[in-house]
PDB file of all heavy atoms in Angstrom:
ATOM      1  N   GLY X  13      91.950  33.814-117.082  1.00 98.00           N
ATOM      2  CA  GLY X  13      90.954  34.658-116.405  1.00 98.00           C
ATOM      3  C   GLY X  13      89.900  35.076-117.335  1.00 98.00           C
ATOM      4  O   GLY X  13      89.353  36.177-117.248  1.00 98.00           O
ATOM      5  N   ALA X  14      89.531  34.177-118.274  1.00 98.00           N
ATOM      6  CA  ALA X  14      88.602  34.552-119.380  1.00 98.00           C
ATOM      7  C   ALA X  14      87.178  34.372-119.045  1.00 98.00           C
ATOM      8  O   ALA X  14      86.286  34.549-119.855  1.00 98.00           O
ATOM      9  CB  ALA X  14      88.970  33.663-120.624  1.00 98.00           C
ATOM     10  N   GLY X  15      86.874  34.057-117.782  1.00 98.00           N
ATOM     11  CA  GLY X  15      85.475  33.899-117.354  1.00 98.00           C
ATOM     12  C   GLY X  15      84.857  35.146-116.807  1.00 98.00           C
ATOM     13  O   GLY X  15      83.736  35.118-116.373  1.00 98.00           O
ATOM     14  N   SER X  16      85.561  36.247-116.861  1.00 98.00           N
ATOM     15  CA  SER X  16      85.062  37.502-116.229  1.00 98.00           C
ATOM     16  C   SER X  16      85.804  38.680-116.804  1.00 98.00           C
ATOM     17  O   SER X  16      86.834  38.527-117.462  1.00 98.00           O
ATOM     18  CB  SER X  16      85.247  37.415-114.756  1.00 98.00           C
ATOM     19  OG  SER X  16      84.841  38.580-114.083  1.00 98.00           O
ATOM     20  N   GLY X  17      85.245  39.867-116.603  1.00 98.00           N
ATOM     21  CA  GLY X  17      85.906  41.105-116.797  1.00 98.00           C
ATOM     22  C   GLY X  17      86.706  41.305-118.097  1.00 98.00           C
ATOM     23  O   GLY X  17      86.191  41.090-119.228  1.00 98.00           O
ATOM     24  N   MET X  18      87.950  41.716-117.943  1.00 98.00           N
ATOM     25  CA  MET X  18      88.785  41.971-119.102  1.00 98.00           C
ATOM     26  C   MET X  18      89.032  40.755-119.943  1.00 98.00           C
ATOM     27  O   MET X  18      89.120  40.791-121.186  1.00 98.00           O
ATOM     28  CB  MET X  18      90.132  42.583-118.682  1.00 98.00           C
ATOM     29  CG  MET X  18      89.995  43.882-118.056  1.00 98.00           C
ATOM     30  SD  MET X  18      91.609  44.506-117.567  1.00 98.00           S
ATOM     31  CE  MET X  18      91.194  45.289-116.032  1.00 98.00           C
ATOM     32  N   GLY X  19      89.190  39.594-119.292  1.00 98.00           N
ATOM     33  CA  GLY X  19      89.474  38.357-120.071  1.00 98.00           C
ATOM     34  C   GLY X  19      88.288  38.006-120.907  1.00 98.00           C
ATOM     35  O   GLY X  19      88.389  37.619-122.066  1.00 98.00           O
ATOM     36  N   ASP X  37      89.962  29.474-117.409  1.00 99.00           N
ATOM     37  CA  ASP X  37      89.673  30.073-116.144  1.00 99.00           C
ATOM     38  C   ASP X  37      89.650  28.976-115.127  1.00 99.00           C
ATOM     39  O   ASP X  37      89.392  27.856-115.383  1.00 99.00           O
ATOM     40  CB  ASP X  37      88.309  30.808-116.232  1.00 99.00           C
ATOM     41  CG  ASP X  37      88.167  31.921-115.140  1.00 99.00           C
ATOM     42  OD1 ASP X  37      88.081  31.583-113.920  1.00 99.00           O
ATOM     43  OD2 ASP X  37      88.250  33.109-115.518  1.00 99.00           O
ATOM     44  N   ILE X  38      89.885  29.342-113.837  1.00 98.00           N
ATOM     45  CA  ILE X  38      89.763  28.426-112.767  1.00 98.00           C
ATOM     46  C   ILE X  38      88.308  28.064-112.564  1.00 98.00           C
ATOM     47  O   ILE X  38      87.966  26.978-112.018  1.00 98.00           O
ATOM     48  CB  ILE X  38      90.396  28.989-111.463  1.00 98.00           C
ATOM     49  CG1 ILE X  38      90.635  27.863-110.449  1.00 98.00           C
ATOM     50  CG2 ILE X  38      89.550  30.143-110.838  1.00 98.00           C
ATOM     51  CD1 ILE X  38      91.561  28.275-109.324  1.00 98.00           C
ATOM     52  N   ASN X  39      87.450  28.915-112.987  1.00 98.00           N
ATOM     53  CA  ASN X  39      85.972  28.731-112.897  1.00 98.00           C
ATOM     54  C   ASN X  39      85.460  28.319-114.282  1.00 98.00           C
ATOM     55  O   ASN X  39      85.201  29.173-115.130  1.00 98.00           O
ATOM     56  CB  ASN X  39      85.329  30.020-112.406  1.00 98.00           C
ATOM     57  CG  ASN X  39      83.849  29.898-112.248  1.00 98.00           C
ATOM     58  OD1 ASN X  39      83.239  28.976-112.778  1.00 98.00           O
ATOM     59  ND2 ASN X  39      83.271  30.832-111.505  1.00 98.00           N
ATOM     60  N   VAL X  61      91.706  25.982-115.900  1.00 99.00           N
ATOM     61  CA  VAL X  61      93.111  26.027-115.490  1.00 99.00           C
ATOM     62  C   VAL X  61      93.238  26.753-114.223  1.00 99.00           C
ATOM     63  O   VAL X  61      92.516  27.714-113.971  1.00 99.00           O
ATOM     64  CB  VAL X  61      93.968  26.762-116.560  1.00 99.00           C
ATOM     65  CG1 VAL X  61      93.727  28.251-116.640  1.00 99.00           C
ATOM     66  CG2 VAL X  61      95.416  26.488-116.393  1.00 99.00           C
ATOM     67  N   ASP X  62      94.160  26.243-113.373  1.00 99.00           N
ATOM     68  CA  ASP X  62      94.588  27.023-112.176  1.00 99.00           C
ATOM     69  C   ASP X  62      95.976  27.446-112.486  1.00 99.00           C
ATOM     70  O   ASP X  62      96.889  26.686-112.546  1.00 99.00           O
ATOM     71  CB  ASP X  62      94.539  26.137-110.965  1.00 99.00           C
ATOM     72  CG  ASP X  62      95.055  26.913-109.708  1.00 99.00           C
ATOM     73  OD1 ASP X  62      95.495  28.066-109.881  1.00 99.00           O
ATOM     74  OD2 ASP X  62      95.043  26.306-108.637  1.00 99.00           O
ATOM     75  N   VAL X  63      96.145  28.745-112.776  1.00 99.00           N
ATOM     76  CA  VAL X  63      97.416  29.265-113.283  1.00 99.00           C
ATOM     77  C   VAL X  63      98.524  29.080-112.230  1.00 99.00           C
ATOM     78  O   VAL X  63      99.709  29.268-112.545  1.00 99.00           O
ATOM     79  CB  VAL X  63      97.370  30.774-113.771  1.00 99.00           C
ATOM     80  CG1 VAL X  63      96.481  30.889-114.957  1.00 99.00           C
ATOM     81  CG2 VAL X  63      96.969  31.660-112.642  1.00 99.00           C
ATOM     82  N   THR X  64      98.193  28.818-110.965  1.00 99.00           N
ATOM     83  CA  THR X  64      99.232  28.663-109.932  1.00 99.00           C
ATOM     84  C   THR X  64      99.771  27.218-109.884  1.00 99.00           C
ATOM     85  O   THR X  64     100.727  26.918-109.167  1.00 99.00           O
ATOM     86  CB  THR X  64      98.643  28.912-108.524  1.00 99.00           C
ATOM     87  OG1 THR X  64      97.702  27.925-108.148  1.00 99.00           O
ATOM     88  CG2 THR X  64      97.940  30.304-108.485  1.00 99.00           C
ATOM     89  N   ASN X  89      96.058  37.189-118.263  1.00 98.00           N
ATOM     90  CA  ASN X  89      95.169  38.197-117.682  1.00 98.00           C
ATOM     91  C   ASN X  89      94.652  37.864-116.306  1.00 98.00           C
ATOM     92  O   ASN X  89      94.317  38.737-115.562  1.00 98.00           O
ATOM     93  CB  ASN X  89      93.988  38.325-118.651  1.00 98.00           C
ATOM     94  CG  ASN X  89      92.784  39.029-118.047  1.00 98.00           C
ATOM     95  OD1 ASN X  89      92.792  40.225-117.945  1.00 98.00           O
ATOM     96  ND2 ASN X  89      91.782  38.256-117.611  1.00 98.00           N
ATOM     97  N   ALA X  90      94.627  36.578-115.893  1.00 98.00           N
ATOM     98  CA  ALA X  90      94.083  36.164-114.632  1.00 98.00           C
ATOM     99  C   ALA X  90      94.802  36.909-113.510  1.00 98.00           C
ATOM    100  O   ALA X  90      96.018  37.045-113.520  1.00 98.00           O
ATOM    101  CB  ALA X  90      94.212  34.697-114.390  1.00 98.00           C
ATOM    102  N   GLY X  91      94.008  37.394-112.526  1.00 98.00           N
ATOM    103  CA  GLY X  91      94.599  38.070-111.348  1.00 98.00           C
ATOM    104  C   GLY X  91      93.587  38.166-110.265  1.00 98.00           C
ATOM    105  O   GLY X  91      92.406  38.040-110.523  1.00 98.00           O
ATOM    106  N   ILE X  92      94.096  38.446-109.037  1.00 98.00           N
ATOM    107  CA  ILE X  92      93.225  38.617-107.889  1.00 98.00           C
ATOM    108  C   ILE X  92      93.670  39.836-107.118  1.00 98.00           C
ATOM    109  O   ILE X  92      94.874  40.195-107.123  1.00 98.00           O
ATOM    110  CB  ILE X  92      93.156  37.370-106.937  1.00 98.00           C
ATOM    111  CG1 ILE X  92      94.551  37.016-106.509  1.00 98.00           C
ATOM    112  CG2 ILE X  92      92.451  36.222-107.668  1.00 98.00           C
ATOM    113  CD1 ILE X  92      94.516  35.877-105.427  1.00 98.00           C
ATOM    114  N   VAL X 113      99.001  33.732-107.951  1.00 98.00           N
ATOM    115  CA  VAL X 113      98.100  33.985-109.085  1.00 98.00           C
ATOM    116  C   VAL X 113      98.684  35.090-109.960  1.00 98.00           C
ATOM    117  O   VAL X 113      98.689  34.892-111.185  1.00 98.00           O
ATOM    118  CB  VAL X 113      96.677  34.404-108.585  1.00 98.00           C
ATOM    119  CG1 VAL X 113      95.765  34.665-109.784  1.00 98.00           C
ATOM    120  CG2 VAL X 113      96.074  33.291-107.682  1.00 98.00           C
ATOM    121  N   ASN X 114      99.099  36.136-109.412  1.00 98.00           N
ATOM    122  CA  ASN X 114      99.406  37.360-110.253  1.00 98.00           C
ATOM    123  C   ASN X 114     100.782  37.372-110.872  1.00 98.00           C
ATOM    124  O   ASN X 114     100.990  37.964-111.887  1.00 98.00           O
ATOM    125  CB  ASN X 114      99.289  38.633-109.380  1.00 98.00           C
ATOM    126  CG  ASN X 114      97.878  38.938-108.959  1.00 98.00           C
ATOM    127  OD1 ASN X 114      96.978  38.167-109.242  1.00 98.00           O
ATOM    128  ND2 ASN X 114      97.659  40.026-108.211  1.00 98.00           N
ATOM    129  N   THR X 140      99.203  41.074-117.997  1.00 98.00           N
ATOM    130  CA  THR X 140      98.475  42.151-117.436  1.00 98.00           C
ATOM    131  C   THR X 140      99.031  42.559-116.071  1.00 98.00           C
ATOM    132  O   THR X 140      98.949  41.764-115.110  1.00 98.00           O
ATOM    133  CB  THR X 140      96.942  41.813-117.354  1.00 98.00           C
ATOM    134  OG1 THR X 140      96.471  41.582-118.606  1.00 98.00           O
ATOM    135  CG2 THR X 140      96.165  42.951-116.729  1.00 98.00           C
ATOM    136  N   SER X 141      99.494  43.797-115.977  1.00 98.00           N
ATOM    137  CA  SER X 141      99.960  44.351-114.703  1.00 98.00           C
ATOM    138  C   SER X 141      98.851  45.293-114.290  1.00 98.00           C
ATOM    139  O   SER X 141      97.654  44.902-114.269  1.00 98.00           O
ATOM    140  CB  SER X 141     101.354  45.072-114.881  1.00 98.00           C
ATOM    141  OG  SER X 141     101.636  45.753-113.728  1.00 98.00           O
ATOM    142  N   SER X 142      99.179  46.560-114.051  1.00 98.00           N
ATOM    143  CA  SER X 142      98.196  47.502-113.472  1.00 98.00           C
ATOM    144  C   SER X 142      98.918  48.834-113.319  1.00 98.00           C
ATOM    145  O   SER X 142     100.199  48.905-113.407  1.00 98.00           O
ATOM    146  CB  SER X 142      97.755  46.999-112.113  1.00 98.00           C
ATOM    147  OG  SER X 142      97.066  47.991-111.356  1.00 98.00           O
ATOM    148  N   THR X 143      98.207  49.871-113.024  1.00 96.00           N
ATOM    149  CA  THR X 143      98.885  51.101-112.604  1.00 96.00           C
ATOM    150  C   THR X 143      99.654  50.776-111.282  1.00 96.00           C
ATOM    151  O   THR X 143     100.628  51.392-110.966  1.00 96.00           O
ATOM    152  CB  THR X 143      97.855  52.256-112.327  1.00 96.00           C
ATOM    153  OG1 THR X 143      96.758  51.728-111.587  1.00 96.00           O
ATOM    154  CG2 THR X 143      97.309  52.873-113.596  1.00 96.00           C
ATOM    155  N   TYR X 155      99.523  42.879-103.692  1.00 98.00           N
ATOM    156  CA  TYR X 155      99.071  43.243-105.053  1.00 98.00           C
ATOM    157  C   TYR X 155     100.102  44.112-105.748  1.00 98.00           C
ATOM    158  O   TYR X 155     100.510  43.868-106.890  1.00 98.00           O
ATOM    159  CB  TYR X 155      97.710  43.872-104.988  1.00 98.00           C
ATOM    160  CG  TYR X 155      97.047  44.106-106.317  1.00 98.00           C
ATOM    161  CD1 TYR X 155      96.409  42.995-106.963  1.00 98.00           C
ATOM    162  CD2 TYR X 155      97.078  45.301-107.017  1.00 98.00           C
ATOM    163  CE1 TYR X 155      95.806  43.161-108.259  1.00 98.00           C
ATOM    164  CE2 TYR X 155      96.465  45.466-108.240  1.00 98.00           C
ATOM    165  CZ  TYR X 155      95.834  44.388-108.836  1.00 98.00           C
ATOM    166  OH  TYR X 155      95.225  44.535-110.084  1.00 98.00           O
ATOM    167  N   LYS X 159     102.326  43.180-109.123  1.00 98.00           N
ATOM    168  CA  LYS X 159     102.087  43.832-110.353  1.00 98.00           C
ATOM    169  C   LYS X 159     103.416  44.538-110.805  1.00 98.00           C
ATOM    170  O   LYS X 159     103.625  44.691-111.982  1.00 98.00           O
ATOM    171  CB  LYS X 159     100.982  44.812-110.279  1.00 98.00           C
ATOM    172  CG  LYS X 159      99.580  44.145-110.111  1.00 98.00           C
ATOM    173  CD  LYS X 159      99.301  43.180-111.277  1.00 98.00           C
ATOM    174  CE  LYS X 159      97.901  42.633-111.262  1.00 98.00           C
ATOM    175  NZ  LYS X 159      97.586  41.637-112.351  1.00 98.00           N
ATOM    176  N   PRO X 185      96.266  48.400-116.912  1.00 98.00           N
ATOM    177  CA  PRO X 185      94.999  49.102-116.821  1.00 98.00           C
ATOM    178  C   PRO X 185      94.921  49.965-115.564  1.00 98.00           C
ATOM    179  O   PRO X 185      95.472  49.647-114.495  1.00 98.00           O
ATOM    180  CB  PRO X 185      93.960  47.922-116.712  1.00 98.00           C
ATOM    181  CG  PRO X 185      94.698  46.690-116.983  1.00 98.00           C
ATOM    182  CD  PRO X 185      96.124  46.981-116.607  1.00 98.00           C
ATOM    183  N   GLY X 186      94.137  51.049-115.678  1.00 96.00           N
ATOM    184  CA  GLY X 186      93.721  51.737-114.488  1.00 96.00           C
ATOM    185  C   GLY X 186      92.358  51.225-114.030  1.00 96.00           C
ATOM    186  O   GLY X 186      91.964  50.059-114.364  1.00 96.00           O
ATOM    187  N   ALA X 187      91.612  52.008-113.315  1.00 94.00           N
ATOM    188  CA  ALA X 187      90.337  51.527-112.737  1.00 94.00           C
ATOM    189  C   ALA X 187      89.373  51.132-113.896  1.00 94.00           C
ATOM    190  O   ALA X 187      88.985  52.002-114.685  1.00 94.00           O
ATOM    191  CB  ALA X 187      89.732  52.645-111.916  1.00 94.00           C
ATOM    192  N   THR X 188      89.107  49.883-113.896  1.00 96.00           N
ATOM    193  CA  THR X 188      88.301  49.324-115.035  1.00 96.00           C
ATOM    194  C   THR X 188      87.055  48.649-114.489  1.00 96.00           C
ATOM    195  O   THR X 188      87.096  47.864-113.471  1.00 96.00           O
ATOM    196  CB  THR X 188      89.165  48.324-115.812  1.00 96.00           C
ATOM    197  OG1 THR X 188      90.367  48.936-116.256  1.00 96.00           O
ATOM    198  CG2 THR X 188      88.452  47.818-117.044  1.00 96.00           C
ATOM    199  N   THR X 190      85.040  46.126-113.954  1.00 96.00           N
ATOM    200  CA  THR X 190      84.856  44.648-114.015  1.00 96.00           C
ATOM    201  C   THR X 190      84.308  44.188-112.719  1.00 96.00           C
ATOM    202  O   THR X 190      84.384  44.918-111.686  1.00 96.00           O
ATOM    203  CB  THR X 190      86.268  44.050-114.237  1.00 96.00           C
ATOM    204  OG1 THR X 190      87.015  44.173-113.062  1.00 96.00           O
ATOM    205  CG2 THR X 190      87.017  44.595-115.457  1.00 96.00           C
ATOM    206  N   PRO X 191      83.966  42.913-112.612  1.00 93.00           N
ATOM    207  CA  PRO X 191      83.540  42.381-111.317  1.00 93.00           C
ATOM    208  C   PRO X 191      84.603  42.509-110.231  1.00 93.00           C
ATOM    209  O   PRO X 191      84.246  42.817-109.067  1.00 93.00           O
ATOM    210  CB  PRO X 191      83.218  40.924-111.644  1.00 93.00           C
ATOM    211  CG  PRO X 191      82.798  40.946-113.094  1.00 93.00           C
ATOM    212  CD  PRO X 191      83.670  41.995-113.692  1.00 93.00           C
ATOM    213  N   MET X 192      85.863  42.385-110.609  1.00 91.00           N
ATOM    214  CA  MET X 192      86.947  42.547-109.575  1.00 91.00           C
ATOM    215  C   MET X 192      86.863  43.915-108.938  1.00 91.00           C
ATOM    216  O   MET X 192      86.785  44.071-107.660  1.00 91.00           O
ATOM    217  CB  MET X 192      88.335  42.380-110.187  1.00 91.00           C
ATOM    218  CG  MET X 192      89.448  42.680-109.185  1.00 91.00           C
ATOM    219  SD  MET X 192      91.049  42.888-109.944  1.00 91.00           S
ATOM    220  CE  MET X 192      91.599  41.171-110.019  1.00 91.00           C
ATOM    221  N   ALA X 193      86.815  44.981-109.723  1.00 88.00           N
ATOM    222  CA  ALA X 193      86.839  46.327-109.182  1.00 88.00           C
ATOM    223  C   ALA X 193      85.533  46.657-108.548  1.00 88.00           C
ATOM    224  O   ALA X 193      85.478  47.300-107.464  1.00 88.00           O
ATOM    225  CB  ALA X 193      87.187  47.330-110.294  1.00 88.00           C
ATOM    226  N   TRP X 217      85.292  55.407-115.481  1.00 95.00           N
ATOM    227  CA  TRP X 217      85.939  54.140-115.447  1.00 95.00           C
ATOM    228  C   TRP X 217      86.304  53.696-116.890  1.00 95.00           C
ATOM    229  O   TRP X 217      85.679  54.059-117.855  1.00 95.00           O
ATOM    230  CB  TRP X 217      84.902  53.036-114.937  1.00 95.00           C
ATOM    231  CG  TRP X 217      84.664  53.178-113.469  1.00 95.00           C
ATOM    232  CD1 TRP X 217      83.719  54.006-112.895  1.00 95.00           C
ATOM    233  CD2 TRP X 217      85.232  52.411-112.425  1.00 95.00           C
ATOM    234  NE1 TRP X 217      83.712  53.788-111.526  1.00 95.00           N
ATOM    235  CE2 TRP X 217      84.614  52.829-111.198  1.00 95.00           C
ATOM    236  CE3 TRP X 217      86.198  51.433-112.348  1.00 95.00           C
ATOM    237  CZ2 TRP X 217      84.944  52.352-109.953  1.00 95.00           C
ATOM    238  CZ3 TRP X 217      86.557  50.874-111.126  1.00 95.00           C
ATOM    239  CH2 TRP X 217      85.951  51.331-109.955  1.00 95.00           C
TER     240      TRP X 217
HETATM  241  N1  NAD O 301      89.578  45.876-112.776  1.00 86.97           N
HETATM  242  C1  NAD O 301      90.535  46.731-112.549  1.00 86.97           C
HETATM  243  O1  NAD O 301      90.290  47.893-112.208  1.00 86.97           O
HETATM  244  C2  NAD O 301      91.978  46.344-112.775  1.00 86.97           C
HETATM  245  C3  NAD O 301      92.980  47.388-112.791  1.00 86.97           C
HETATM  246  C4  NAD O 301      94.269  47.029-113.074  1.00 86.97           C
HETATM  247  C5  NAD O 301      94.663  45.703-113.369  1.00 86.97           C
HETATM  248  N2  NAD O 301      93.710  44.756-113.316  1.00 86.97           N
HETATM  249  C6  NAD O 301      94.115  43.354-113.613  1.00 86.97           C
HETATM  250  O2  NAD O 301      93.409  42.958-114.802  1.00 86.97           O
HETATM  251  C7  NAD O 301      93.288  41.556-114.742  1.00 86.97           C
HETATM  252  C8  NAD O 301      91.816  41.144-115.020  1.00 86.97           C
HETATM  253  O3  NAD O 301      91.058  41.661-113.947  1.00 86.97           O
HETATM  254  P1  NAD O 301      89.501  41.804-113.880  1.00 86.97           P
HETATM  255  O4  NAD O 301      89.191  43.108-113.291  1.00 86.97           O
HETATM  256  O5  NAD O 301      88.949  41.480-115.253  1.00 86.97           O
HETATM  257  O6  NAD O 301      89.166  40.675-112.838  1.00 86.97           O
HETATM  258  P2  NAD O 301      87.921  39.664-112.678  1.00 86.97           P
HETATM  259  O7  NAD O 301      87.941  39.319-111.194  1.00 86.97           O
HETATM  260  O8  NAD O 301      86.688  40.230-113.252  1.00 86.97           O
HETATM  261  O9  NAD O 301      88.423  38.386-113.516  1.00 86.97           O
HETATM  262  C9  NAD O 301      89.509  37.644-113.137  1.00 86.97           C
HETATM  263  C10 NAD O 301      89.320  36.223-113.576  1.00 86.97           C
HETATM  264  O10 NAD O 301      90.518  35.470-113.174  1.00 86.97           O
HETATM  265  C11 NAD O 301      90.087  34.201-112.765  1.00 86.97           C
HETATM  266  N3  NAD O 301      91.092  33.589-111.911  1.00 86.97           N
HETATM  267  C12 NAD O 301      91.388  33.949-110.563  1.00 86.97           C
HETATM  268  N4  NAD O 301      92.313  33.081-110.120  1.00 86.97           N
HETATM  269  C13 NAD O 301      92.660  32.246-111.114  1.00 86.97           C
HETATM  270  C14 NAD O 301      93.592  31.126-111.213  1.00 86.97           C
HETATM  271  N5  NAD O 301      94.340  30.758-110.190  1.00 86.97           N
HETATM  272  N6  NAD O 301      93.655  30.525-112.378  1.00 86.97           N
HETATM  273  C15 NAD O 301      92.883  30.894-113.433  1.00 86.97           C
HETATM  274  N7  NAD O 301      91.986  31.870-113.415  1.00 86.97           N
HETATM  275  C16 NAD O 301      91.889  32.525-112.260  1.00 86.97           C
HETATM  276  C17 NAD O 301      88.752  34.458-112.059  1.00 86.97           C
HETATM  277  O11 NAD O 301      88.020  33.247-111.938  1.00 86.97           O
HETATM  278  C18 NAD O 301      88.140  35.529-112.921  1.00 86.97           C
HETATM  279  O12 NAD O 301      87.306  34.894-113.921  1.00 86.97           O
HETATM  280  C19 NAD O 301      93.847  41.091-113.432  1.00 86.97           C
HETATM  281  O13 NAD O 301      95.192  40.649-113.632  1.00 86.97           O
HETATM  282  C20 NAD O 301      93.814  42.327-112.624  1.00 86.97           C
HETATM  283  O14 NAD O 301      94.782  42.318-111.543  1.00 86.97           O
HETATM  284  C21 NAD O 301      92.401  45.006-112.977  1.00 86.97           C
END
Side-chain angles (χ1 to χ4, degrees):
S16 178
M18 294 180 218
D37 204 288
I38 195 164
N39 181 343
V61 72
D62 177 356
V63 297
T64 70
N89 164 79
I92 55 173
V113 178
N114 292 2
T140 298
S141 173
S142 167
T143 46
Y155 190 78
K159 292 302 187 182
T188 306
T190 68
M192 173 193 276
W217 289 83

